[in-house]
Amino acid sequence: MNTRTNDVQVEYTVRVPAGVRFVGRTVNGSVEARGLRADAEAHTVNGSIAISTRGLAQATTVNGSIEAELGAVFREPLEFETVNGGITLVVPAGSGAEVRATTVNGDIRTDFPLTVRGRFNHRRVSGTIGRGGPQLMMSTVNGDIRLRSAS
């Protein structure tokens, strides 16, 4: 297979009807899903992920950052995971969850008051926001984690 001078790039635009769950997967490329009205998932190996939805979302990548904005209060466990990239997650102000966040080379910051269990560490946090709820897992090796409140 000769790939020298093969600099082809493909971009797909998919319109998702309101109320239909979106699942996007790729290996080499980013996934951008904005303005959704139902739950969403995005998975890639080499690329960043950007999701905004009125529902819930989950995302995993290896080489890329994750930016997600959720419009629904948690009702099931959610996971956001990358190796080389940061994670920024925006959730509704009244959310409650059992948070587990880890980073090796980065910091963890949250807009929410967090009841921490165990020892406080700026690279590994386990605690409760609000009255608790489903598990929210955020993990990266090389990057910061930001848990923000939608205003």
Side-chain angles (χ1 to χ4, degrees):
M1 186 164 129
N2 183 354
T3 58
R4 244 186 301 172
T5 73
N6 183 0
D7 58 353
V8 174
Q9 198 171 17
V10 177
E11 183 176 311
Y12 295 98
T13 300
V14 178
R15 299 195 190 282
V16 181
V20 174
R21 180 179 178 91
F22 171 81
V23 179
R25 295 182 192 275
T26 187
V27 175
N28 291 311
S30 297
V31 177
E32 183 176 334
R34 299 198 186 269
L36 299 173
R37 296 183 184 176
D39 294 350
E41 282 183 49
H43 307 278
T44 185
V45 177
N46 295 307
S48 295
I49 295 172
I51 296 176
S52 66
T53 180
R54 291 186 186 172
L56 299 175
Q58 296 194 77
T60 59
T61 184
V62 176
N63 295 307
S65 61
I66 297 172
E67 293 181 12
E69 184 170 357
L70 314 183
V73 175
F74 300 71
R75 61 182 183 272
E76 61 187 54
L78 299 177
E79 184 172 4
F80 299 87
E81 183 177 16
T82 184
V83 175
N84 295 307
I87 300 170
T88 300
L89 178 61
V90 180
V91 299
S95 294
E98 298 299 322
V99 176
R100 287 189 163 202
T102 61
T103 181
V104 176
N105 298 306
D107 291 320
I108 300 169
R109 295 206 172 122
T110 179
D111 291 349
F112 292 91
L114 186 67
T115 304
V116 177
R117 286 186 303 278
R119 189 173 154 215
F120 185 79
N121 182 326
H122 70 281
R123 295 211 167 111
R124 180 178 301 268
V125 172
S126 180
T128 304
I129 58 172
R131 295 183 179 188
Q135 194 167 60
L136 171 61
M137 296 174 288
M138 297 172 288
S139 174
T140 183
V141 174
N142 298 306
D144 295 332
I145 296 175
R146 304 284 183 258
L147 180 58
R148 303 189 60 212
S149 175
S151 298

Short mmCIF file of all heavy atoms in Angstrom, two decimals, residues 23-69:
data_model
loop_
_atom_site.label_atom_id
_atom_site.label_comp_id
_atom_site.label_asym_id
_atom_site.label_seq_id
_atom_site.Cartn_x
_atom_site.Cartn_y
_atom_site.Cartn_z
N VAL A 23 -23.99 7.89 18.79
CA VAL A 23 -22.75 7.19 19.11
C VAL A 23 -21.80 7.40 17.94
O VAL A 23 -22.10 6.99 16.82
CB VAL A 23 -22.97 5.68 19.35
CG1 VAL A 23 -21.65 4.98 19.65
CG2 VAL A 23 -23.96 5.45 20.49
N GLY A 24 -20.67 8.04 18.20
CA GLY A 24 -19.67 8.30 17.17
C GLY A 24 -18.37 7.59 17.50
O GLY A 24 -17.89 7.69 18.63
N ARG A 25 -17.83 6.87 16.52
CA ARG A 25 -16.57 6.13 16.72
C ARG A 25 -15.66 6.35 15.52
O ARG A 25 -16.11 6.31 14.38
CB ARG A 25 -16.83 4.63 16.84
CG ARG A 25 -17.62 4.23 18.05
CD ARG A 25 -17.78 2.70 18.10
NE ARG A 25 -18.76 2.31 19.08
CZ ARG A 25 -18.50 2.14 20.37
NH1 ARG A 25 -17.29 2.34 20.81
NH2 ARG A 25 -19.46 1.79 21.20
N THR A 26 -14.38 6.54 15.80
CA THR A 26 -13.37 6.61 14.75
C THR A 26 -12.04 6.19 15.36
O THR A 26 -11.92 6.09 16.58
CB THR A 26 -13.29 8.02 14.13
OG1 THR A 26 -12.41 7.98 13.01
CG2 THR A 26 -12.82 9.06 15.13
N VAL A 27 -11.05 5.96 14.52
CA VAL A 27 -9.72 5.63 15.02
C VAL A 27 -8.81 6.84 14.91
O VAL A 27 -8.23 7.28 15.89
CB VAL A 27 -9.13 4.42 14.28
CG1 VAL A 27 -7.70 4.17 14.71
CG2 VAL A 27 -9.98 3.18 14.52
N ASN A 28 -8.65 7.37 13.72
CA ASN A 28 -7.79 8.53 13.50
C ASN A 28 -8.64 9.72 13.08
O ASN A 28 -8.96 9.89 11.92
CB ASN A 28 -6.75 8.23 12.41
CG ASN A 28 -5.73 7.23 12.89
OD1 ASN A 28 -5.17 7.36 13.97
ND2 ASN A 28 -5.51 6.21 12.09
N GLY A 29 -8.99 10.52 14.05
CA GLY A 29 -9.80 11.70 13.77
C GLY A 29 -10.56 12.12 15.00
O GLY A 29 -10.73 11.36 15.94
N SER A 30 -11.00 13.34 14.97
CA SER A 30 -11.76 13.90 16.09
C SER A 30 -13.25 13.65 15.91
O SER A 30 -13.71 13.42 14.79
CB SER A 30 -11.51 15.41 16.18
OG SER A 30 -10.15 15.65 16.46
N VAL A 31 -13.98 13.71 17.00
CA VAL A 31 -15.44 13.61 16.98
C VAL A 31 -15.98 14.88 17.60
O VAL A 31 -15.63 15.23 18.72
CB VAL A 31 -15.95 12.38 17.76
CG1 VAL A 31 -17.47 12.35 17.77
CG2 VAL A 31 -15.39 11.09 17.20
N GLU A 32 -16.82 15.57 16.84
CA GLU A 32 -17.47 16.77 17.34
C GLU A 32 -18.97 16.58 17.19
O GLU A 32 -19.47 16.35 16.09
CB GLU A 32 -17.03 18.00 16.55
CG GLU A 32 -17.60 19.27 17.07
CD GLU A 32 -17.07 20.50 16.33
OE1 GLU A 32 -15.95 20.44 15.79
OE2 GLU A 32 -17.81 21.50 16.30
N ALA A 33 -19.68 16.65 18.31
CA ALA A 33 -21.13 16.45 18.31
C ALA A 33 -21.73 17.56 19.18
O ALA A 33 -21.65 17.52 20.40
CB ALA A 33 -21.49 15.08 18.86
N ARG A 34 -22.30 18.55 18.54
CA ARG A 34 -22.79 19.73 19.27
C ARG A 34 -24.29 19.93 19.03
O ARG A 34 -24.80 19.58 17.98
CB ARG A 34 -22.04 20.97 18.83
CG ARG A 34 -20.54 20.86 19.12
CD ARG A 34 -19.89 22.22 19.09
NE ARG A 34 -18.46 22.14 19.22
CZ ARG A 34 -17.81 22.20 20.38
NH1 ARG A 34 -18.48 22.32 21.50
NH2 ARG A 34 -16.50 22.13 20.42
N GLY A 35 -24.95 20.46 20.05
CA GLY A 35 -26.36 20.80 19.92
C GLY A 35 -27.27 19.58 19.92
O GLY A 35 -28.38 19.66 19.40
N LEU A 36 -26.82 18.48 20.52
CA LEU A 36 -27.65 17.27 20.55
C LEU A 36 -28.75 17.42 21.60
O LEU A 36 -28.63 18.19 22.54
CB LEU A 36 -26.79 16.05 20.86
CG LEU A 36 -25.69 15.75 19.84
CD1 LEU A 36 -24.81 14.62 20.33
CD2 LEU A 36 -26.28 15.43 18.49
N ARG A 37 -29.81 16.63 21.43
CA ARG A 37 -30.95 16.70 22.34
C ARG A 37 -31.23 15.37 23.02
O ARG A 37 -32.30 15.16 23.57
CB ARG A 37 -32.18 17.16 21.59
CG ARG A 37 -32.03 18.56 21.07
CD ARG A 37 -33.28 19.02 20.40
NE ARG A 37 -33.08 20.35 19.82
CZ ARG A 37 -33.98 20.96 19.11
NH1 ARG A 37 -35.15 20.40 18.89
NH2 ARG A 37 -33.73 22.14 18.61
N ALA A 38 -30.27 14.46 22.97
CA ALA A 38 -30.41 13.16 23.62
C ALA A 38 -29.03 12.71 24.10
O ALA A 38 -28.03 13.41 23.89
CB ALA A 38 -31.00 12.14 22.65
N ASP A 39 -28.96 11.55 24.72
CA ASP A 39 -27.69 11.04 25.22
C ASP A 39 -26.72 10.79 24.07
O ASP A 39 -27.13 10.58 22.93
CB ASP A 39 -27.92 9.74 25.99
CG ASP A 39 -28.74 9.96 27.26
OD1 ASP A 39 -28.96 11.13 27.65
OD2 ASP A 39 -29.15 8.96 27.88
N ALA A 40 -25.42 10.84 24.39
CA ALA A 40 -24.40 10.72 23.34
C ALA A 40 -23.16 10.02 23.87
O ALA A 40 -22.85 10.10 25.06
CB ALA A 40 -24.03 12.10 22.82
N GLU A 41 -22.46 9.35 22.96
CA GLU A 41 -21.17 8.73 23.24
C GLU A 41 -20.23 9.06 22.11
O GLU A 41 -20.65 9.12 20.95
CB GLU A 41 -21.29 7.20 23.26
CG GLU A 41 -21.87 6.59 24.47
CD GLU A 41 -21.85 5.07 24.35
OE1 GLU A 41 -20.79 4.50 24.00
OE2 GLU A 41 -22.90 4.48 24.59
N ALA A 42 -18.95 9.21 22.44
CA ALA A 42 -17.94 9.41 21.40
C ALA A 42 -16.68 8.66 21.80
O ALA A 42 -16.27 8.70 22.97
CB ALA A 42 -17.65 10.89 21.21
N HIS A 43 -16.08 7.98 20.83
CA HIS A 43 -14.88 7.18 21.07
C HIS A 43 -13.93 7.35 19.89
O HIS A 43 -14.36 7.27 18.73
CB HIS A 43 -15.23 5.69 21.21
CG HIS A 43 -16.29 5.43 22.23
ND1 HIS A 43 -16.03 5.35 23.57
CD2 HIS A 43 -17.63 5.28 22.10
CE1 HIS A 43 -17.16 5.13 24.22
NE2 HIS A 43 -18.15 5.08 23.34
N THR A 44 -12.67 7.59 20.18
CA THR A 44 -11.64 7.66 19.15
C THR A 44 -10.32 7.23 19.77
O THR A 44 -10.22 7.11 21.00
CB THR A 44 -11.55 9.06 18.51
OG1 THR A 44 -10.62 9.02 17.44
CG2 THR A 44 -11.14 10.12 19.51
N VAL A 45 -9.33 7.00 18.94
CA VAL A 45 -7.99 6.67 19.44
C VAL A 45 -7.09 7.90 19.31
O VAL A 45 -6.50 8.35 20.27
CB VAL A 45 -7.40 5.46 18.70
CG1 VAL A 45 -5.98 5.18 19.18
CG2 VAL A 45 -8.28 4.23 18.89
N ASN A 46 -7.00 8.45 18.12
CA ASN A 46 -6.15 9.60 17.86
C ASN A 46 -7.00 10.78 17.43
O ASN A 46 -7.26 10.97 16.25
CB ASN A 46 -5.12 9.28 16.77
CG ASN A 46 -4.16 8.22 17.22
OD1 ASN A 46 -3.53 8.34 18.27
ND2 ASN A 46 -4.04 7.16 16.44
N GLY A 47 -7.45 11.55 18.40
CA GLY A 47 -8.27 12.70 18.10
C GLY A 47 -8.97 13.21 19.34
O GLY A 47 -9.14 12.48 20.31
N SER A 48 -9.38 14.44 19.28
CA SER A 48 -10.10 15.06 20.39
C SER A 48 -11.60 14.81 20.26
O SER A 48 -12.09 14.45 19.18
CB SER A 48 -9.83 16.56 20.42
OG SER A 48 -8.49 16.80 20.70
N ILE A 49 -12.31 15.04 21.35
CA ILE A 49 -13.75 14.86 21.38
C ILE A 49 -14.39 16.12 21.95
O ILE A 49 -13.94 16.64 22.97
CB ILE A 49 -14.15 13.64 22.24
CG1 ILE A 49 -13.61 12.36 21.59
CG2 ILE A 49 -15.66 13.57 22.42
CD1 ILE A 49 -13.78 11.12 22.44
N ALA A 50 -15.44 16.60 21.29
CA ALA A 50 -16.23 17.73 21.78
C ALA A 50 -17.71 17.36 21.67
O ALA A 50 -18.19 17.05 20.58
CB ALA A 50 -15.93 18.98 20.97
N ILE A 51 -18.40 17.36 22.80
CA ILE A 51 -19.83 16.99 22.83
C ILE A 51 -20.59 18.04 23.63
O ILE A 51 -20.14 18.43 24.71
CB ILE A 51 -20.05 15.63 23.53
CG1 ILE A 51 -19.40 14.49 22.77
CG2 ILE A 51 -21.53 15.35 23.71
CD1 ILE A 51 -19.53 13.15 23.48
N SER A 52 -21.74 18.45 23.11
CA SER A 52 -22.68 19.23 23.91
C SER A 52 -24.06 18.66 23.63
O SER A 52 -24.45 18.47 22.49
CB SER A 52 -22.61 20.72 23.58
OG SER A 52 -23.04 20.96 22.27
N THR A 53 -24.77 18.36 24.72
CA THR A 53 -26.07 17.72 24.59
C THR A 53 -26.98 18.14 25.73
O THR A 53 -26.51 18.49 26.81
CB THR A 53 -25.93 16.19 24.56
OG1 THR A 53 -27.22 15.61 24.43
CG2 THR A 53 -25.24 15.64 25.80
N ARG A 54 -28.27 18.06 25.48
CA ARG A 54 -29.24 18.27 26.55
C ARG A 54 -29.37 17.03 27.42
O ARG A 54 -29.97 17.08 28.49
CB ARG A 54 -30.60 18.64 25.96
CG ARG A 54 -30.61 19.99 25.32
CD ARG A 54 -32.01 20.35 24.89
NE ARG A 54 -32.01 21.59 24.14
CZ ARG A 54 -33.05 22.06 23.50
NH1 ARG A 54 -34.19 21.37 23.51
NH2 ARG A 54 -32.98 23.19 22.85
N GLY A 55 -28.83 15.93 26.94
CA GLY A 55 -28.87 14.68 27.69
C GLY A 55 -27.57 14.43 28.41
O GLY A 55 -26.89 15.35 28.85
N LEU A 56 -27.20 13.15 28.51
CA LEU A 56 -25.96 12.71 29.14
C LEU A 56 -24.95 12.34 28.08
O LEU A 56 -25.31 12.10 26.93
CB LEU A 56 -26.23 11.51 30.05
CG LEU A 56 -27.20 11.75 31.19
CD1 LEU A 56 -27.47 10.45 31.94
CD2 LEU A 56 -26.67 12.81 32.14
N ALA A 57 -23.68 12.23 28.45
CA ALA A 57 -22.65 11.87 27.48
C ALA A 57 -21.55 11.07 28.15
O ALA A 57 -21.39 11.12 29.38
CB ALA A 57 -22.06 13.13 26.84
N GLN A 58 -20.81 10.34 27.32
CA GLN A 58 -19.61 9.63 27.74
C GLN A 58 -18.60 9.76 26.61
O GLN A 58 -18.99 9.86 25.44
CB GLN A 58 -19.89 8.16 28.01
CG GLN A 58 -20.84 7.93 29.16
CD GLN A 58 -20.84 6.50 29.61
OE1 GLN A 58 -19.94 6.07 30.29
NE2 GLN A 58 -21.86 5.77 29.19
N ALA A 59 -17.30 9.71 26.95
CA ALA A 59 -16.29 9.86 25.91
C ALA A 59 -14.98 9.19 26.31
O ALA A 59 -14.59 9.25 27.48
CB ALA A 59 -16.04 11.34 25.62
N THR A 60 -14.32 8.56 25.33
CA THR A 60 -13.00 7.98 25.54
C THR A 60 -12.14 8.24 24.32
O THR A 60 -12.61 8.18 23.19
CB THR A 60 -13.06 6.46 25.80
OG1 THR A 60 -13.66 5.82 24.67
CG2 THR A 60 -13.82 6.12 27.06
N THR A 61 -10.87 8.54 24.57
CA THR A 61 -9.88 8.70 23.53
C THR A 61 -8.53 8.34 24.13
O THR A 61 -8.41 8.21 25.35
CB THR A 61 -9.86 10.13 22.93
OG1 THR A 61 -8.93 10.18 21.86
CG2 THR A 61 -9.52 11.18 23.96
N VAL A 62 -7.53 8.18 23.30
CA VAL A 62 -6.18 7.93 23.79
C VAL A 62 -5.34 9.19 23.64
O VAL A 62 -4.75 9.68 24.60
CB VAL A 62 -5.52 6.73 23.07
CG1 VAL A 62 -4.08 6.55 23.53
CG2 VAL A 62 -6.32 5.46 23.31
N ASN A 63 -5.29 9.73 22.45
CA ASN A 63 -4.49 10.92 22.16
C ASN A 63 -5.39 12.07 21.77
O ASN A 63 -5.67 12.27 20.59
CB ASN A 63 -3.48 10.63 21.04
CG ASN A 63 -2.48 9.59 21.47
OD1 ASN A 63 -1.84 9.73 22.49
ND2 ASN A 63 -2.36 8.54 20.69
N GLY A 64 -5.86 12.80 22.76
CA GLY A 64 -6.72 13.94 22.48
C GLY A 64 -7.42 14.40 23.74
O GLY A 64 -7.51 13.67 24.73
N SER A 65 -7.92 15.61 23.69
CA SER A 65 -8.65 16.16 24.82
C SER A 65 -10.13 15.84 24.70
O SER A 65 -10.62 15.47 23.64
CB SER A 65 -8.44 17.68 24.89
OG SER A 65 -8.95 18.27 23.71
N ILE A 66 -10.83 16.00 25.82
CA ILE A 66 -12.28 15.79 25.86
C ILE A 66 -12.92 17.05 26.44
O ILE A 66 -12.54 17.51 27.51
CB ILE A 66 -12.66 14.58 26.74
CG1 ILE A 66 -12.09 13.29 26.15
CG2 ILE A 66 -14.18 14.49 26.90
CD1 ILE A 66 -12.26 12.08 27.05
N GLU A 67 -13.88 17.58 25.70
CA GLU A 67 -14.71 18.69 26.18
C GLU A 67 -16.15 18.23 26.06
O GLU A 67 -16.59 17.88 24.96
CB GLU A 67 -14.49 19.95 25.35
CG GLU A 67 -13.12 20.55 25.49
CD GLU A 67 -12.95 21.81 24.67
OE1 GLU A 67 -13.96 22.35 24.17
OE2 GLU A 67 -11.80 22.24 24.53
N ALA A 68 -16.87 18.23 27.18
CA ALA A 68 -18.25 17.77 27.15
C ALA A 68 -19.12 18.68 28.00
O ALA A 68 -18.71 19.13 29.07
CB ALA A 68 -18.35 16.34 27.66
N GLU A 69 -20.32 18.96 27.49
CA GLU A 69 -21.29 19.74 28.23
C GLU A 69 -22.60 18.95 28.26
O GLU A 69 -23.15 18.62 27.22
CB GLU A 69 -21.52 21.10 27.59
CG GLU A 69 -22.46 21.96 28.39
CD GLU A 69 -22.52 23.40 27.91
OE1 GLU A 69 -21.78 23.76 26.98
OE2 GLU A 69 -23.32 24.16 28.48
#
